[in-house]
Amino acid sequence: MDSNSRKARQLDALMASHLDGGTIRASGAFEMADGWITIATVADRDWRGLCEAMDQPALGTDARFATLAARTANVEALYAVMRPAIAAKPW
């Protein structure tokens, strides 16, 4: 395999990992009514800020999502909450 093919595969994997449901929980590309938005929340304070921006401040301290480990363990519930909240906002 040539280096260009290897680089293309690595880029494809990197992009896939950052789409909705990627490896960094509460991060990714999310569909909105008028397009897409990319969000990255790694630190817990970033998550709390996103919750405020989504008009869902209680999610910031919800035990299922309050830490990166909790968000990772509850990823299906996390995205079930995030998708409609992000889609509903006029960002």
Side-chain angles (χ1 to χ4, degrees):
M1 174 185 310
D2 68 22
S3 69
N4 285 338
S5 296
R6 187 173 30 256
K7 287 178 184 177
R9 276 200 357 247
Q10 290 171 338
L11 181 58
D12 286 347
L14 177 65
M15 294 302 291
S17 74
H18 286 84
L19 293 175
D20 185 7
T23 57
I24 300 173
R25 301 304 176 205
S27 299
F30 294 87
E31 191 168 10
M32 305 179 312
D34 62 347
W36 289 80
I37 188 170
T38 301
I39 297 171
T41 60
V42 178
D44 297 337
R45 74 174 183 276
D46 297 337
W47 166 246
R48 290 188 301 273
L50 176 60
C51 291
E52 293 284 338
M54 293 188 302
D55 295 328
Q56 303 274 338
L59 291 176
T61 56
D62 185 314
R64 298 172 300 165
F65 312 127
T67 66
L68 180 59
R71 291 188 293 278
T72 300
N74 296 291
V75 69
E76 288 183 24
L78 174 72
Y79 285 108
V81 170
M82 286 181 69
R83 286 185 194 109
I86 291 168
K89 291 273 296 177
W91 299 87

